[in-house]
Amino acid sequence: MTAREVLLARGVAKSYGGVAALREGRITLREGEIHALVGENGAGKSTFVKVLCGITPSDAGEVTLDGARLSLANPREATAHGIGFVAQELSLFPDLSVRDNLFPLSPERRLGLVDRKALDRRAAPVLERLGLGVDPAGAVGDLDLADRQLLEIGRAMLSDPRVLVLDEPTSAQGRDSVERLVGVLRGLADDGMALLYISHFLEEVLSLADRVTVLRDGRTVLDDVARPEVDLDRLVVAMIGEQPTGEAARPAPAEMREADDRRLRLVDVEVPGRLHGVSLEVAPGEIVGVAGLQGAGHVDVLRAVCGQVRPSAGRVRLPGGRQPRSLRDALCHGVGLVPSDRKGVGLMLDRSAWENVAAARWLGIGRGGPWLRRSAERARAVEVLGSLGFRGDLDAPTQELSGGNQQKVVFAKWLETDPAVMVLDDPTRGVDIGARAEMHDVIRRLAARGRAVLLASSDLAELCELCDRVAVLQRGRIVAELGGADLEQLGLSRAMNAGFVAGVVS
């Protein structure tokens, strides 16, 4: 028997400044089902979600809930009608307690004071349903990322929604955290809730969703398809109109690896509480990955190379032999950095794409001369962004670009510095499959041009696809190194979790 329809959207359209972000959005959400909405960055997903959740009004189309037409003026009205929303970027206050984050606007009061016991009683069944054994009085900043994500969902659930919209809830989660979250969402659906699930991880979509809708260029191109009727190839073709480009040929850099002074080297690096005796080399033309569970130390390897942490013992040597003294020192001596948090530290969101591209070379490392030559710098930005397949307004504030285009701007600004070493921290986090393939091509081209590439990623498939070899860390130590035929997801996961692979024990 077909599940009962709860929310329907038909012909939804929205334009910004004459540019159509959404032309024809259609979707049907049903009781007890998880419905995935997928598409490339810029396909219209975020705009569609904003309309459904009352964040922005549509220009055309109709949204109904239980057969009654909705006209939402703001998110609070959406909540009142039973539509909950969990955004990709967490909106919790880390310095406040779990309780204060769950009830930020209308806490219950007794004799003029906040009735903490009453709030805790209201929160208890929601926290139990989510498997969150946290202290309501504890600070949110003390929770790990997985618990904070579940807490964000818990806050939405306190309004007892009929429909729950989740935008990229697993984009920054490790595998164990993803499995835990998936179990929670499946339980909510089994209890009759209608879930709209937006994700770039197509394998995740195929394992979780009951139905799938695909947007491309603001239009619904695959509408309300039952999961058994769709596979990965069909999703990819629907999203981008063609199969993604395959791996770019990259010659083996054997001759480049002979030049010792062009290698990136870490020798017995000690960082108290973080790294213990870490030794690693990356030759020109190599892509070397570092992997581990949260807090294992792999990200600290990147920070050491970039001069963000100073070793108490051992040494880090950039190509040419210099030891980085600070982030700026590293950047001025041939290191390019693509951070995982592109919005927080990777971009000036209120400035244009071309200004962001110019900033690293001209302002960051001082190679542009004493004066900013706007026309010349903009022309350079046009060239480098064009080589990355940038599709967006070069002069608009970067915050208005899609996630994929924002990441291309981050790549472009460091390509402009012509780095000898490129350090990449989750470089394709939160971008769609098309942009991901383009980013991979860029990374391979960097290696083919003789750059040493050091990559950390939460995506094991990405590490296996891109890297020549991967060093696995546990508790700040390298416990395994995989390459060649041994570099595959199962072995990598085993090494990260157990510290051994292919008979090599840490």
Side-chain angles (χ1 to χ4, degrees):
M1 185 174 68
T2 304
R4 190 168 74 87
E5 295 176 349
V6 178
L7 184 145
L8 286 81
R10 294 290 181 269
V12 177
K14 179 68 181 179
S15 295
Y16 297 97
V19 178
L22 187 65
R23 295 176 173 85
E24 186 188 342
R26 304 191 305 276
I27 204 159
T28 302
L29 304 183
R30 298 173 177 83
E31 274 186 347
E33 287 189 352
I34 300 175
H35 194 129
L37 178 65
V38 299
E40 288 192 274
N41 286 108
K45 303 187 303 296
S46 295
T47 301
F48 202 0
V49 165
K50 288 176 181 178
V51 170
L52 297 179
C53 297
I55 299 170
T56 189
S58 64
D59 297 331
E62 180 180 75
V63 180
T64 63
L65 184 69
D66 293 324
R69 182 164 184 169
L70 283 181
S71 180
L72 303 173
N74 52 58
R76 185 171 291 187
E77 286 192 6
T79 300
H81 281 86
I83 300 173
F85 177 52
V86 178
Q88 178 180 0
E89 304 294 336
L90 299 182
S91 59
L92 302 172
F93 301 98
D95 295 331
L96 298 182
S97 69
V98 169
R99 180 191 303 117
D100 291 338
N101 273 276
L102 287 173
F103 304 98
L105 297 177
S106 56
E108 297 190 20
R109 295 183 178 273
R110 186 167 180 260
L111 301 178
L113 301 175
V114 174
D115 190 345
R116 293 184 175 88
K117 290 185 178 179
L119 294 178
D120 291 350
R121 285 194 296 271
R122 283 183 59 192
V126 171
L127 296 178
E128 182 179 359
R129 191 176 186 186
L130 296 174
L132 266 176
V134 297
D135 179 4
V140 164
D142 294 334
L143 302 179
D144 62 28
L145 181 60
D147 282 348
R148 278 180 276 163
Q149 181 70 71
L150 289 174
L151 189 64
E152 189 91 43
I153 294 173
R155 186 163 64 179
M157 286 174 56
L158 282 167
S159 63
D160 195 24
R162 309 251 341 274
V163 175
L164 184 61
V165 179
L166 302 110
D167 188 5
E168 296 286 354
T170 65
S171 63
Q173 302 277 6
R175 177 170 296 187
D176 292 342
S177 301
V178 170
E179 291 177 357
R180 179 183 174 196
L181 179 60
V182 164
V184 168
L185 300 183
R186 191 72 264 171
L188 296 177
D190 290 343
D191 289 341
M193 190 178 294
L195 283 80
L196 179 59
Y197 186 82
I198 295 93
S199 179
H200 288 305
F201 298 111
L202 300 186
E203 293 86 353
E204 191 177 279
V205 165
L206 293 173
S207 67
L208 177 64
D210 299 296
R211 294 178 180 273
V212 181
T213 290
V214 179
L215 291 178
R216 185 174 74 237
D217 296 329
R219 291 188 172 90
T220 301
V221 294
L222 203 62
D223 184 18
D224 197 31
V225 178
R227 165 61 191 89
E229 299 173 14
V230 67
D231 58 16
L232 185 61
D233 286 343
R234 188 178 179 192
L235 277 185
V236 170
V237 171
M239 287 172 59
I240 66 178
E242 58 183 4
Q243 293 286 357
T245 58
E247 180 173 339
R250 179 162 60 90
E255 68 285 355
M256 293 184 285
R257 295 178 184 174
E258 297 302 320
D260 284 352
D261 65 340
R262 295 179 60 193
R263 291 172 180 258
L264 167 67
R265 288 184 167 185
L266 291 83
V267 181
D268 295 326
V269 170
E270 294 277 344
V271 176
R274 299 182 183 182
L275 298 176
H276 308 289
V278 170
S279 295
L280 186 68
E281 291 190 1
V282 186
E286 269 195 310
I287 302 174
V288 174
V290 286
L293 302 178
Q294 185 174 353
H298 53 301
V299 176
D300 293 303
V301 172
L302 272 56
R303 290 170 56 81
V305 171
C306 293
Q308 294 171 298
V309 295
R310 297 287 296 275
S312 60
R315 63 187 186 274
V316 177
R317 289 287 183 263
L318 302 179
R322 186 179 184 87
Q323 178 154 324
R325 298 190 300 266
S326 65
L327 177 59
R328 182 178 176 85
D329 185 57
L331 301 179
C332 287
H333 289 87
V335 176
L337 170 64
V338 176
S340 61
D341 183 5
R342 62 174 175 264
K343 291 185 178 181
V345 298
L347 294 168
M348 300 180 293
L349 292 173
D350 59 338
R351 309 307 292 265
S352 68
W354 77 263
E355 288 173 303
N356 272 275
V357 172
R361 190 180 71 90
W362 177 74
L363 183 62
I365 64 174
R367 292 185 190 168
W371 308 106
L372 176 63
R373 296 171 296 171
R374 297 176 65 89
S375 59
E377 293 297 340
R378 190 182 185 282
R380 291 177 67 97
V382 168
E383 182 178 354
V384 69
L385 284 170
S387 72
L388 299 179
F390 176 83
R391 294 181 291 274
D393 186 346
L394 204 70
D395 298 300
T398 310
Q399 62 192 358
E400 296 179 5
L401 300 175
S402 68
N405 280 323
Q406 286 180 352
Q407 195 70 332
K408 290 172 185 177
V409 172
V410 177
F411 265 86
K413 76 175 189 177
W414 293 116
L415 292 177
E416 269 288 84
T417 70
D418 194 25
V421 175
M422 188 65 112
V423 176
L424 309 172
D425 185 4
D426 254 336
T428 61
R429 176 193 169 197
V431 305
D432 60 75
I433 189 171
R436 181 179 185 272
E438 291 172 336
M439 294 296 97
H440 285 187
D441 285 341
V442 170
I443 294 167
R444 294 187 186 102
R445 291 203 302 269
L446 279 168
R449 287 163 49 192
R451 280 31 175 188
V453 179
L454 184 62
L455 167 67
S457 178
S458 57
D459 185 346
L460 302 190
E462 180 168 70
L463 289 169
C464 295
E465 181 179 346
L466 281 176
C467 295
D468 297 298
R469 51 195 171 88
V470 175
V472 179
L473 285 88
Q474 284 190 358
R475 298 182 179 89
R477 302 180 188 275
I478 293 179
V479 297
E481 187 171 295
L482 291 74
D486 292 330
L487 183 51
E488 43 82 29
Q489 291 188 59
L490 179 60
L492 189 54
S493 178
R494 184 181 298 137
M496 290 165 58
N497 285 280
F500 71 91
V501 61
V504 178
V505 182
S506 63

